[in-house]
Amino acid sequence: MNVRLRAYIHLTLAMCIAGSAVVAGKLMVSSMPVFLAAEAGLLASLAVQVPFTFMMKRERIPADLSVHLYLVLQALFGVVLYRVFIFQGLQHTTATVGGVISSTTPLCIVLLSAIFLREHITRRTIAGAVCVVTGLATISLTPLMDATPAATGSFTGNVLILAAVVSESAFSVMSRAKRDHLSPLARTAMVSVYAALCLLPFAIHDALHYDMATLDAETLSCIAYYGVFVSFLSYLLWFKGVAVIAAGTAASFTGLIPLSSMGIAWLVLNETITSAHIAGLACVGAGIVIACIRPATSPTTSSVAV
């Protein structure tokens, strides 16, 4: 199979799993504190990752301290801040809205790539940004017309999920910018280890004030799914894909997140998809296409690593 085609498949699968993560996260935080839920998912992931990576595959831990510092940054932005923001946000808004807002990740990656990887910003990118902002405004501001506490909470949740998008985008750009010769498997495991260490003190605090006896089979299943698929498989597939595809091009694949999250939220959580959701998603989708898809006549530009 062609190398680029294989990378496209990896990125597609990674983003479909990421879309399902919004629904799994919504179910987890409905019965668990945020930090404890995030840590539980990581520990479930590490139970699979560590033996597989360092025992079965015999991957080596890098000796260069600068590599570890970079991995800590990736863990902070791509796992810790992302999960804290999105879990907090999902306590105030729906998984459907969370998935739509998450779809702005491609444009955010393109903008950050322009800043840190010196990729060129075109008029198409600016036009795409206008469409995305319009879509976000449609989704986030419509509930405020109700002038109720629930509507205000929904707006807060939307802002938190947008912060999660920025964190995830920073992680994606960093994963492309740094060439440290780590395999996707080793990088995924090391990032998860550092993320778990960062979250541990806060998770312990949550655990001291949480009755573990209230955990049910549904929550435990979500933790297992989040750990194996979201925390392990999706990151592994993303690292494999982004190692071949430029950051700006890979960004367009994150547009699959809202499609999978909205569908799963409708099936699993029985959430209602409103006309505001559809209109907002249409604007966001148009912005992604305008900003991230190059015309056939345009020359392809490559990323410049810093």
Side-chain angles (χ1 to χ4, degrees):
M1 184 184 294
N2 180 275
V3 174
R4 292 186 68 83
L5 178 59
R6 186 183 296 112
Y8 291 151
I9 293 174
H10 289 157
L11 292 173
T12 299
L13 292 174
M15 293 302 98
C16 287
I17 295 173
S20 69
V22 178
V23 177
K26 179 73 174 180
L27 291 171
M28 287 168 64
V29 297
S30 65
S31 59
M32 293 183 71
V34 169
F35 290 105
L36 183 59
E39 183 74 0
L42 280 170
L43 292 179
S45 172
L46 289 175
V48 176
Q49 286 190 61
V50 172
F52 184 78
T53 303
F54 300 110
M55 297 179 185
M56 294 180 63
K57 294 297 184 179
R58 299 188 182 280
E59 295 281 351
R60 294 183 178 181
I61 298 176
D64 189 347
L65 180 60
S66 65
V67 172
H68 288 274
L69 292 175
Y70 202 83
L71 291 173
V72 169
L73 281 177
Q74 285 188 300
L76 179 63
F77 282 94
V79 183
V80 177
L81 292 179
Y82 170 74
R83 292 193 184 185
V84 170
F85 284 140
I86 203 163
F87 282 179
Q88 290 279 12
L90 286 171
Q91 289 185 324
H92 303 285
T93 192
T94 66
T96 299
V97 172
V100 175
I101 295 176
S102 295
S103 69
T104 61
T105 304
L107 186 60
C108 191
I109 292 176
V110 169
L111 295 175
L112 291 181
S113 296
I115 296 171
F116 296 105
L117 304 182
R118 298 188 292 277
E119 292 183 352
H120 180 58
I121 294 183
T122 65
R123 283 178 292 182
R124 292 172 62 87
T125 302
I126 297 173
V130 173
C131 287
V132 168
V133 170
T134 301
L136 288 178
T138 301
I139 295 166
S140 300
L141 299 181
T142 299
L144 292 181
M145 295 179 182
D146 295 337
T148 64
T152 303
S154 177
F155 178 76
T156 301
N158 295 345
V159 172
L160 287 169
I161 291 178
L162 188 59
V165 166
V166 175
S167 299
E168 183 183 26
S169 301
F171 161 81
S172 298
V173 172
M174 283 190 288
S175 67
R176 177 66 184 176
K178 185 68 174 180
R179 301 179 183 275
D180 46 29
H181 307 295
L182 280 176
S183 71
L185 190 61
R187 184 193 294 270
T188 302
M190 293 297 296
V191 165
S192 296
V193 168
Y194 284 128
L197 290 175
C198 290
L199 283 169
L200 185 59
F202 306 99
I204 291 175
H205 178 270
D206 277 352
L208 293 175
H209 300 85
Y210 177 69
D211 183 6
M212 293 294 180
T214 60
L215 280 176
D216 55 19
E218 180 182 83
T219 304
L220 290 173
S221 298
C222 288
I223 291 173
Y225 177 83
Y226 214 99
V228 176
F229 286 88
V230 178
S231 300
F232 176 43
L233 188 58
S234 67
Y235 282 90
L236 178 60
L237 290 169
W238 175 262
F239 279 134
K240 281 181 173 291
V242 83
V244 177
I245 306 301
T249 302
S252 62
F253 282 83
T254 58
L256 294 170
I257 292 176
L259 298 179
S260 59
S261 63
M262 286 179 68
I264 297 172
W266 175 68
L267 287 172
V268 177
L269 303 178
N270 296 317
E271 291 186 356
T272 302
I273 300 176
T274 68
S275 57
H277 296 153
I278 296 173
L281 179 59
C283 290
V284 169
I288 292 169
V289 172
I290 293 171
C292 299
I293 305 300
R294 295 187 179 92
T297 56
S298 296
T300 301
T301 58
S302 59
S303 300
V304 181
V306 291

